[in-house]
Amino acid sequence: MSSTAHHPPAGTRTGGCDPGAIDELACVAAGIQRRAEVTQQHLPQLREFQVKFNSARTEYTKARLAAKTDLDEAAATLAKVREQIRCRVTHEQRHCLHQAVDKVFDEIRRCAGGWGCCVDDCGCDFDDTVGGEDTVATLSARIARYTADTLKAAACFTDLDGELTALPERAAKIKTDAAQLLADVCDAVLGKDVVRLYARLLVLLRRSAEAWRGFAGVCEFVDCLCKALLCVLKGWQAIAVLEGARAELLCKEETRKAACERKRKETVEEVMAEYTRLCPPCTAHPDGAEEEDPDEDRAADAA
């Protein structure tokens, strides 16, 4: 009984050899590369924020001291204004003006954003774990959501950093406006419109009270700046991980599509490869001799 070896077509898989592992490795590498690219893309911003944060305590302390000096002078000036015009405005007029100021400043607060820290812990909850049920679509959705949250935190940090110059400028303007208000009160013509003058007084008093933008001291400001920095850091870290995972999944999808297309175009070769896997060839004898039947050997020995 003879046995003939089946030789698979060139380039097909045989035995346990699986070139698909190379595609798997390539996709893993694509994910690692994408993660590194995203990290490098946002590292300059993180470095910039780090430098600004390191000097923030000192610079903000200076800004508050300068602002306090101007605000104290403005408060003294506004006290003089109030003393001069309070009796010239009726109780009803004062009551209505106070209500109007409250309403307008509340509306400003709603449209311009509230004071105090502009970032919270809940907005910085970034989960970078990737489960087996995750797809390109689910990862894309998380990346989009996390990117929006991270950009918001970055804008918060930038706004806080701007306070180092905005606070002294704001206080200086209040001081200048207070001095101008006092001059207008003493003016023979402008001093007659006492309702408008009293409205200007109330506005400046409110602006003075809110000049600190909700930060009671240096520590509160620096803590908020730190939260914003950490939020940006955690956000870009998580996004980099998810971007890498998405790149790997995209690569695997492209690999599967390419394999499917190859099977469609080279169907016969793929069938033969699968046939060879299901029915592996027997080992051929080197000399081409037929195999001896074990039953015939036993019969010969018995004779």
Side-chain angles (χ1 to χ4, degrees):
M1 182 178 179
S2 63
S3 174
T4 304
H6 298 284
H7 298 286
T12 58
R13 293 172 292 176
T14 60
C17 184
D18 182 14
I22 298 176
D23 293 331
E24 180 79 15
L25 181 61
C27 289
V28 171
I32 294 173
Q33 180 179 352
R34 179 57 182 159
R35 179 174 178 176
E37 289 173 352
V38 175
T39 301
Q40 289 297 325
Q41 177 184 351
H42 300 292
L43 192 57
Q45 182 190 62
L46 292 171
R47 291 293 191 192
E48 177 189 354
F49 284 5
Q50 181 185 34
V51 172
K52 290 180 176 180
F53 176 77
N54 288 339
S55 60
R57 182 177 294 275
T58 299
E59 296 303 318
Y60 185 68
T61 299
K62 294 178 182 178
R64 283 187 73 97
L65 289 175
K68 186 177 185 307
T69 299
D70 285 344
L71 290 175
D72 286 345
E73 291 187 27
T77 302
L78 293 176
K80 294 178 182 179
V81 171
R82 188 166 194 162
E83 183 180 340
Q84 293 189 30
I85 66 173
R86 179 177 176 81
C87 294
R88 299 165 59 190
V89 183
T90 67
H91 173 77
E92 183 179 359
Q93 288 173 326
R94 291 198 302 271
H95 178 71
C96 290
L97 284 172
H98 276 285
Q99 286 186 320
V101 167
D102 289 341
K103 184 176 186 299
V104 171
F105 272 85
D106 286 344
E107 291 173 351
I108 292 174
R109 182 74 61 86
R110 283 194 295 270
C111 67
W115 304 145
C117 194
C118 45
V119 67
D120 57 75
D121 297 332
C122 295
C124 299
D125 186 15
F126 302 108
D127 180 14
D128 62 1
T129 58
V130 180
E133 71 284 357
D134 276 310
T135 63
V136 172
T138 61
L139 292 179
S140 296
R142 285 168 64 190
I143 289 170
R145 187 170 69 254
Y146 290 175
T147 298
D149 291 341
T150 303
L151 290 176
K152 182 179 178 182
C156 171
F157 186 96
T158 301
D159 184 63
L160 291 171
D161 180 67
E163 276 293 286
L164 302 181
T165 55
L167 175 58
E169 291 174 356
R170 194 159 56 242
K173 188 175 188 313
I174 292 173
K175 172 186 172 182
T176 300
D177 290 347
Q180 184 61 53
L181 176 58
L182 180 60
D184 292 345
V185 168
C186 299
D187 186 90
V189 178
L190 297 177
K192 294 180 179 180
D193 192 355
V194 290
V195 174
R196 184 175 185 84
L197 292 173
Y198 200 82
R200 289 169 60 185
L201 168 65
L202 294 181
V203 167
L204 285 174
L205 288 173
R206 180 64 68 88
R207 286 179 176 171
S208 297
E210 296 186 351
W212 310 109
R213 296 293 177 92
F215 295 107
V218 176
C219 291
E220 290 81 0
F221 176 84
V222 175
D223 286 345
C224 181
L225 196 66
C226 181
K227 283 184 179 181
L229 175 58
L230 291 179
C231 189
V232 174
L233 172 61
K234 291 190 293 184
W236 291 136
Q237 282 180 327
I239 290 168
V241 172
L242 298 179
E243 283 277 15
R246 181 173 65 172
E248 183 176 341
L249 289 181
L250 283 170
C251 175
K252 290 178 179 178
E253 282 189 4
E254 291 301 318
T255 299
R256 285 192 292 269
K257 290 179 182 178
C260 184
E261 183 65 14
R262 185 178 65 252
K263 286 180 172 63
R264 191 182 67 82
K265 291 182 177 181
E266 303 175 5
T267 308
V268 174
E269 287 77 4
E270 289 295 322
V271 168
M272 292 305 298
E274 187 65 19
Y275 166 74
T276 302
R277 186 186 69 81
L278 295 173
C279 302
C282 299
T283 304
H285 292 283
D287 56 0
E290 293 185 354
E291 293 182 355
E292 295 182 354
D293 191 333
D295 290 336
E296 294 179 358
D297 292 340
R298 293 193 190 94
D301 291 340

